[in-house]
Amino acid sequence: MDISFTSLLWGFLLIIIPTYFLHHYRTGLVKDTLIAALRMTAQLFLIGFYLKYMFDLNLWWLNVLWVIIMAGVASQTIIKRTNLSLKQMFVPITVALLCSVAIIDLYFMGLIVRQDNLFETRYFIPISGMILGNMLSANVIAMNTYYGALRRERTNYLFRLANGASAHEARTPFMRDALIKSFNPTIASMAVMGLIALPGTMTGQILGGSDPDVAIKYQIMLMISIFASSLISVLLTLALTRHKIFNKYEMPQI
């Protein structure tokens, strides 16, 4: 069943609840929340309009270009949310995201779905979007944790180096904490999926008329692919951005 624009406006009233409490506790997030909701609405309607033409054209280079643009926007968002330098970090983070999504997309499309056309718009764009969206969340948490801990515990890091630890050994506790905080929520979600909540992709396919068995198989493969791609992207992002943060003496410049 379609949702009318009137019903959509009624649905928007739900945002009053979170914004009230965000304002009440003076979080400073009310403006960001409202802007995010308006941006999401505008962007989704635009992409819906745009995808109709992309599905008809089904050009591989146009699909790849769109994924590159999505990766660039995701990179910019990660940098903004981690308070790092856009000039320094944009290229390494974008490269890390694109490498990660390329690896998982080719694996998913080629070996799991077994599409003749690996860049089939109906599969390539939505799957890439889901993967990039989850990468974004994981990278924001990982980079905030990793570089935030380095700022707070700079003395501990230098103490380890002074006592003979290699740079890798001195950074390992920060990396461990970043991975734990980034992937604990995903692991918890996977562990209870199907018992507490039905995931969005599966629900969408079922509502769209797909057989539940088919929807379940896609959901399982997507969750594993998303988890793998997010982990790969976090490792690549931290590896590539480290060269911008640490000097040749392994001293953090943050």
Side-chain angles (χ1 to χ4, degrees):
M1 294 179 65
D2 194 7
I3 297 174
S4 68
F5 283 101
T6 304
S7 298
L8 199 64
L9 289 173
W10 279 109
F12 261 96
L13 292 179
L14 285 172
I15 207 166
I16 293 172
I17 298 170
T19 51
Y20 169 77
F21 286 103
L22 291 173
H23 173 72
H24 179 74
Y25 288 104
R26 299 179 182 179
T27 61
L29 294 175
V30 173
K31 183 180 177 181
D32 286 348
T33 301
L34 294 175
I35 291 172
L38 291 172
R39 278 188 60 178
M40 172 193 70
T41 304
Q43 288 163 187
L44 285 175
F45 274 114
L46 285 171
I47 190 61
F49 179 76
Y50 180 62
L51 283 176
K52 289 180 182 179
Y53 293 97
M54 290 191 70
F55 286 166
D56 291 336
L57 293 171
N58 199 23
L59 299 172
W60 72 267
W61 61 267
L62 188 60
N63 297 339
V64 171
L65 178 62
W66 183 249
V67 171
I68 292 171
I69 293 170
M70 286 196 295
V73 174
S75 176
Q76 191 175 21
T77 305
I78 291 167
I79 294 165
K80 181 181 177 182
R81 291 297 172 186
T82 50
N83 296 315
L84 295 171
S85 168
L86 180 65
K87 184 178 179 180
Q88 280 188 315
M89 299 299 182
F90 182 76
V91 172
I93 293 176
T94 304
V95 169
L97 295 180
L98 285 173
C99 288
S100 304
V101 79
I103 292 167
I104 300 301
D105 266 352
L106 292 174
Y107 190 90
F108 189 92
M109 301 288 285
L111 292 178
I112 299 173
V113 181
R114 296 183 181 274
Q115 277 284 317
D116 293 331
N117 178 9
L118 296 179
F119 302 101
E120 180 75 29
T121 309
R122 190 170 293 276
Y123 288 85
F124 184 69
I125 296 297
I127 290 169
S128 298
M130 281 188 282
I131 289 172
L132 279 167
N134 284 272
M135 282 183 190
L136 189 153
S137 301
N139 275 276
V140 168
I141 297 171
M143 293 186 71
N144 268 326
T145 303
Y146 186 83
Y147 290 120
L150 268 175
R151 290 188 187 101
R152 292 190 307 272
E153 301 179 34
R154 182 187 178 93
T155 304
N156 288 337
Y157 171 76
L158 297 177
F159 178 78
R160 293 188 191 106
L161 288 179
N163 281 272
S166 66
H168 173 74
E169 290 170 337
R171 289 194 291 254
T172 294
F174 303 115
M175 175 66 82
R176 180 169 52 246
D177 288 345
L179 292 176
I180 289 171
K181 289 183 180 178
S182 295
F183 294 102
N184 250 340
T186 305
I187 293 168
S189 297
M190 282 199 298
V192 297
M193 196 164 283
L195 294 175
I196 294 178
L198 293 178
T201 303
M202 188 178 87
T203 304
Q205 283 187 286
I206 292 171
L207 290 174
S210 293
D211 187 280
D213 288 340
V214 175
I216 287 166
K217 291 173 189 174
Y218 267 92
Q219 185 63 56
I220 292 169
M221 288 298 97
L222 280 170
M223 281 305 300
I224 293 172
S225 299
I226 285 168
F227 185 77
S229 62
S230 296
L231 186 63
I232 292 168
S233 72
V234 165
L235 295 175
L236 280 176
T237 299
L238 291 175
L240 294 177
T241 57
R242 258 199 309 264
H243 299 294
K244 302 290 185 179
I245 298 295
F246 294 89
N247 63 21
K248 62 180 181 180
Y249 303 108
E250 298 298 346
M251 297 292 107
Q253 306 300 300
I254 53 175

